[in-house]
Amino acid sequence: MSLDASKVKVTRVETPSKPRPNDELVFGQTFTDHMLTIEWTADKGWDVPEIKPYGNFSLDPSSCVFHYAFELFEGLKAYRTADNKISMFRADKNMARMNKSAARICLPNFEQDELIKLIGKLIEQDKHLVPEGQGYSLYIRPTMIGTTNGLGVGTPDRALLYVITSPVGPYYKTGFKAVRLEATDYATRAWPGGVGDKKLGANYAPCILPQLQAAKRGYQQNLWLFGPEKNITEVGTMNVFFVFKDSKTGKKELVTAPLDGTILEGVTRDSVLELARENLSSDEWIVSERYYTIGEVEERAAKGELVEAFGSGTAAVVSPIKEIGWNGNDITVPLLPGEQCGALTKQVAEWIADIQYGRKEHKDWTRIVADLN
Ligand code: COI
């Protein structure tokens, strides 16, 4: 059976919870009343989707998810618009990426639009819990796991797709807070032929130890380098952008690494590139997806050509960078005077928020899934 949103079975909680005050919302710590679950078997395909009270699963300890990391996830958000509707941002991109991740680890694909409709129905149940205000949103976490029992290593013949949602506030409570990064070449996040472009849980656990090591030296995140050239790839769990200014021509360049299989195909990354190409004058700007190295950053900083840098991801949207530890020195990344970010970082955050909160329309990037009026 293919995934069919019209078959969904809904069991509601008896007593819906009350929204928490915005200042109590910590990223990913509280969840809404309901979750969506859909079981899959190789024999029957996708079973009837269920929306039911949030709760524990019961799984056999030999389930392949626990042993061989058959797990992938997505992260996307829904926003409360000024006219009190709930709008999802670029869900189609997340669904497409989720299917690519699933295919890579032999978990089943699904009808993308059906899952978007089901997530819409899930949000509808808990719409009163979607927080209001700029910076606040509902974080949506679709997940798929292999649930085949037994320790044989092979293609799962059972899977569970589920979605939970969490009301969240701004990543940085006091507005932007620029971070210090440690350029990391002794540990590698992703490599050619690997799975760095897929959103697999297995890509995240190995990155915690290098982060702790960087933290001991006073840096919040790793700036992941790759290869003998020491190409800049990503930062922490985000894509990363740098801005350089050619001191001869005065032209600025917004640069990020190309999607060569080692870089996560970030939805925010894609949105930044598209909005920058649309809004920045090509007389003054170049927008590039190209390889660039920590050596180039170091050299251009020394020449006064490093303008700003920021990470991009669904959780924080943009995350400004103020310093990069490399080779025993700290490279200073400029910030606007008295502020915690650069000019383009601020601009990009505004462009994206305007679309997410429904103040501006952009193509088919938003989809209304519930109405609180
Ligand atoms: C994001 O930036 O949205 C992420 O991927 C972080 C997430 C793993 C919490």
Side-chain angles (χ1 to χ4, degrees):
M1 196 162 79
S2 55
L3 183 58
D4 184 350
S6 69
K7 294 211 163 79
V8 67
K9 190 177 135 208
V10 180
T11 313
R12 291 185 53 82
V13 291
E14 276 170 23
T15 324
S17 39
K18 297 214 162 38
R20 291 211 183 194
N22 274 0
D23 61 359
E24 284 179 18
L25 300 177
V26 181
F27 181 83
Q29 288 298 311
T30 48
F31 296 92
T32 60
D33 293 339
H34 299 91
M35 64 182 184
L36 167 71
T37 64
I38 319 156
E39 292 192 23
W40 174 90
T41 58
D43 283 352
K44 297 202 177 114
W46 292 104
D47 203 345
V48 170
E50 278 190 71
I51 291 174
K52 55 189 176 196
Y54 185 99
N56 293 350
F57 296 133
S58 172
L59 290 174
D60 190 285
S62 75
S63 296
C64 64
V65 57
F66 298 136
H67 301 275
Y68 307 125
F70 284 97
E71 193 269 356
L72 61 102
F73 67 94
E74 273 303 321
L76 66 158
K77 283 178 173 171
Y79 298 82
R80 197 189 277 241
T81 63
D83 57 356
N84 233 2
K85 293 184 174 148
I86 312 292
S87 152
M88 266 203 280
F89 183 70
R90 304 199 76 184
D92 53 330
K93 297 284 284 180
N94 294 88
M95 297 299 105
R97 188 173 66 185
M98 190 167 177
N99 264 338
K100 284 196 211 173
S101 299
R104 183 63 183 83
I105 56 171
C106 299
L107 286 175
N109 271 186
F110 56 85
E111 289 65 25
Q112 291 167 200
D113 215 54
E114 295 303 298
L115 187 56
I116 297 180
K117 285 185 215 157
L118 285 163
I119 295 174
K121 289 189 187 193
L122 174 67
I123 295 172
E124 173 72 34
Q125 310 307 316
D126 292 326
K127 61 186 176 188
H128 64 292
L129 300 176
V130 180
E132 211 173 330
Q134 173 96 14
Y136 294 86
S137 59
L138 186 73
Y139 185 78
I140 305 161
R141 173 54 64 91
T143 311
M144 200 193 301
I145 58 175
T147 52
T148 296
N149 298 340
L151 299 182
V153 184
T155 309
D157 63 357
R158 304 181 70 82
L160 174 68
L161 193 170
Y162 65 93
V163 183
I164 53 176
T165 62
S166 170
V168 297
Y171 216 67
Y172 305 106
K173 284 240 177 290
T174 49
F176 285 136
K177 203 151 176 18
V179 293
R180 302 180 75 226
L181 310 179
E182 184 175 69
T184 307
D185 62 353
Y186 66 88
T188 307
R189 193 199 79 88
W191 43 88
V195 291
D197 59 339
K198 306 294 185 296
K199 216 156 170 71
L200 307 183
N203 281 333
Y204 290 76
C207 292
I208 303 301
L209 183 62
Q211 191 196 341
L212 293 178
Q213 288 161 341
K216 265 196 202 147
R217 295 183 280 264
Y219 300 96
Q220 284 103 325
Q221 292 290 348
N222 305 88
L223 181 63
W224 300 108
L225 306 181
F226 179 76
E229 301 83 7
K230 312 218 182 286
N231 285 331
I232 293 182
T233 61
E234 295 197 10
V235 56
T237 60
M238 298 188 201
N239 296 117
V240 66
F241 287 83
F242 280 74
V243 178
F244 301 120
K245 183 174 184 173
D246 187 317
S247 39
K248 291 201 191 86
T249 63
K251 211 160 180 170
K252 286 191 215 167
E253 181 188 21
L254 174 65
V255 56
T256 194
L259 298 178
D260 65 355
T262 68
I263 304 293
L264 189 81
E265 296 175 9
V267 178
T268 311
R269 175 190 180 280
D270 184 80
S271 307
V272 170
L273 286 170
E274 184 164 332
L275 294 170
R277 285 182 176 128
E278 263 176 38
N279 291 310
L280 299 175
S281 144
S282 58
D283 295 338
E284 291 164 40
W285 284 89
I286 308 170
V287 178
S288 309
E289 293 167 78
R290 67 164 173 90
Y291 291 111
Y292 64 111
T293 65
I294 188 70
E296 176 176 352
V297 168
E298 194 176 31
E299 215 177 282
R300 300 194 76 167
K303 286 203 280 185
E305 293 192 342
L306 174 59
V307 180
E308 61 186 287
F310 60 91
S312 74
T314 296
V317 187
V318 290
S319 170
I321 296 162
K322 65 178 175 189
E323 247 172 346
I324 301 167
W326 172 239
N327 261 347
N329 294 313
D330 284 330
I331 303 169
T332 301
V333 185
L335 301 171
L336 287 170
E339 298 203 40
Q340 284 287 312
C341 69
L344 185 69
T345 310
K346 204 173 183 176
Q347 181 72 80
V348 161
E350 262 176 46
W351 288 336
I352 295 181
D354 279 346
I355 301 167
Q356 290 170 330
Y357 289 94
R359 295 188 289 265
K360 284 212 178 115
E361 270 192 30
H362 193 276
K363 296 185 177 165
D364 57 352
W365 282 14
T366 54
R367 184 195 284 220
I368 302 294
V369 290
D371 192 335
L372 285 130
N373 294 298

